[in-house]
Amino acid sequence: MPTATSVPSAVFISEWGSSGSGDGQFVNPYGIAVASDGSVYVSDLNHRIQKFTAEGVFVSKWGTEGRWDRDTPLPGEFYYPWDVAVASDGSVYVVDNGYKRIQKFTSEGVFVSQWGTPGTDDRQFGSPVGVAVAPDGSVYVVDGGNNRIQKFTSEGVFVSKWGTQGTGDGEFLNPYRVAVQTDGSVYVSDFSNNRIQKFTAGGVFVTKWGSSGSGEGQFIDPYGIAVASDGSVYVADEGNHRIQKFTSEGVFVSKWGTEGTGDGELYYPRGIVVASDGSIYVSERNGHRIQKFTVGQ
């Protein structure tokens, strides 16, 4: 794979979090999102969303653990919130994996609406695992159980879908996360195919990159994916305990991270997001923490 000119490695800025259920603690923080005002939202398997300042100061939390046997889950209950995304208007979308639905909240955690039920039809989910909001407000949901992407309006009205199980272009094997560029391009981490796929806003295949391995541009279980304002694509290469940076077309730029729990080390990174100021936040599944980085330009 061709490589672009290398840039300096990421610089560690700060970290917060530890294993537990208290304020600022996490159990498997899978999802992370940043609002336009710099607020950071984290979903963790304590069945809740926590809100922090850009420096990691705890602000608030919401959510309670739902009951698996409940036929009609209540608003604000979660059963394994897998991912979180924030729209430009501050609305917060949460993937409620166990209940096969998307919940929408205000920036302060007030319930607004929900959509989704178990199944394979439009607006149904086999296993929703990722969510992203486009600049125009469109909501993209990764339906991992059905190996597809579904696109909705900001209010949950079904728009379109694409993807089937497989290894070909536009096919998926356990897709996990989705990110949207300012021009509307959609990037999907195709976990079990160890690759990234790029699509138009309507789901037309554009390009792909990646294969199984530990070399530059290779992946072992690519999970989180994020797009910066300049079009750079960041991938949480979970099995290699690192972050890789690419151009918008998939040309390798740089990487950082080694397995560990020290500052700047990564222990199964899953969630990644880029703030408007260029700061990069990474959530670690087994590290039970958030790390904040900056990257040389």
Side-chain angles (χ1 to χ4, degrees):
M1 175 176 291
T3 62
T5 302
S6 295
V7 300
S9 299
V11 177
F12 170 82
I13 298 177
S14 62
E15 69 170 80
W16 73 89
S18 60
S19 179
S21 58
D23 295 347
Q25 294 185 312
F26 307 107
V27 172
N28 301 135
Y30 283 178
I32 187 167
V34 178
S36 57
D37 67 358
S39 298
V40 179
Y41 296 84
V42 181
S43 63
D44 77 313
L45 299 196
N46 282 310
H47 307 285
R48 66 184 180 182
I49 302 298
Q50 293 190 76
K51 180 180 180 179
F52 302 89
T53 68
E55 289 70 43
V57 178
F58 175 81
V59 176
S60 61
K61 62 184 176 184
W62 74 88
T64 57
E65 182 176 0
R67 285 171 33 197
W68 179 249
D69 60 352
R70 191 190 298 279
D71 290 333
T72 306
L74 300 176
E77 287 185 334
F78 299 119
Y79 206 78
Y80 298 108
W82 224 256
D83 197 16
V84 59
V86 185
S88 58
D89 66 358
S91 298
V92 179
Y93 295 86
V94 180
V95 173
D96 194 2
N97 179 273
Y99 285 136
K100 318 297 184 191
R101 64 179 177 175
I102 303 298
Q103 293 195 68
K104 180 180 179 179
F105 301 88
T106 68
S107 60
E108 299 307 314
V110 178
F111 175 82
V112 176
S113 62
Q114 65 180 14
W115 72 88
T117 55
T120 60
D121 292 337
D122 297 347
R123 215 168 178 259
Q124 294 186 319
F125 304 110
S127 179
V129 289
V131 62
V133 184
D136 67 359
S138 298
V139 179
Y140 294 85
V141 179
V142 182
D143 185 7
N146 289 317
N147 287 292
R148 66 183 180 182
I149 305 298
Q150 291 195 69
K151 180 180 180 180
F152 303 90
T153 69
S154 60
E155 299 308 313
V157 177
F158 175 81
V159 176
S160 63
K161 63 183 176 183
W162 73 88
T164 57
Q165 182 175 327
T167 59
D169 296 347
E171 297 177 331
F172 303 109
L173 284 179
N174 299 314
Y176 266 108
R177 289 295 158 85
V178 59
V180 186
Q181 195 175 355
T182 53
D183 68 357
S185 298
V186 179
Y187 297 84
V188 180
S189 60
D190 194 1
F191 186 83
S192 294
N193 279 323
N194 287 298
R195 66 183 180 181
I196 303 301
Q197 293 196 69
K198 179 181 179 180
F199 302 88
T200 67
V204 177
F205 174 82
V206 176
T207 189
K208 64 185 176 184
W209 70 89
S211 60
S212 179
S214 57
E216 294 176 349
Q218 293 185 311
F219 307 107
I220 296 178
D221 301 337
Y223 202 100
I225 188 167
V227 183
S229 58
D230 66 357
S232 298
V233 179
Y234 295 86
V235 180
D237 187 5
E238 184 181 35
N240 283 316
H241 307 281
R242 66 184 180 183
I243 304 300
Q244 294 195 69
K245 178 181 179 180
F246 302 88
T247 68
S248 61
E249 298 307 312
V251 178
F252 174 81
V253 177
S254 62
K255 62 184 177 183
W256 76 89
T258 57
E259 182 177 358
T261 58
D263 294 348
E265 297 178 330
L266 297 168
Y267 197 39
Y268 293 99
R270 280 212 160 176
I272 185 168
V273 67
V274 183
S276 58
D277 67 357
S279 298
I280 299 169
Y281 297 86
V282 179
S283 64
E284 296 170 74
R285 182 190 75 185
N286 288 16
H288 307 291
R289 65 177 177 175
I290 307 301
Q291 290 196 71
K292 181 178 180 180
F293 300 89
T294 186
V295 175
Q297 300 298 318

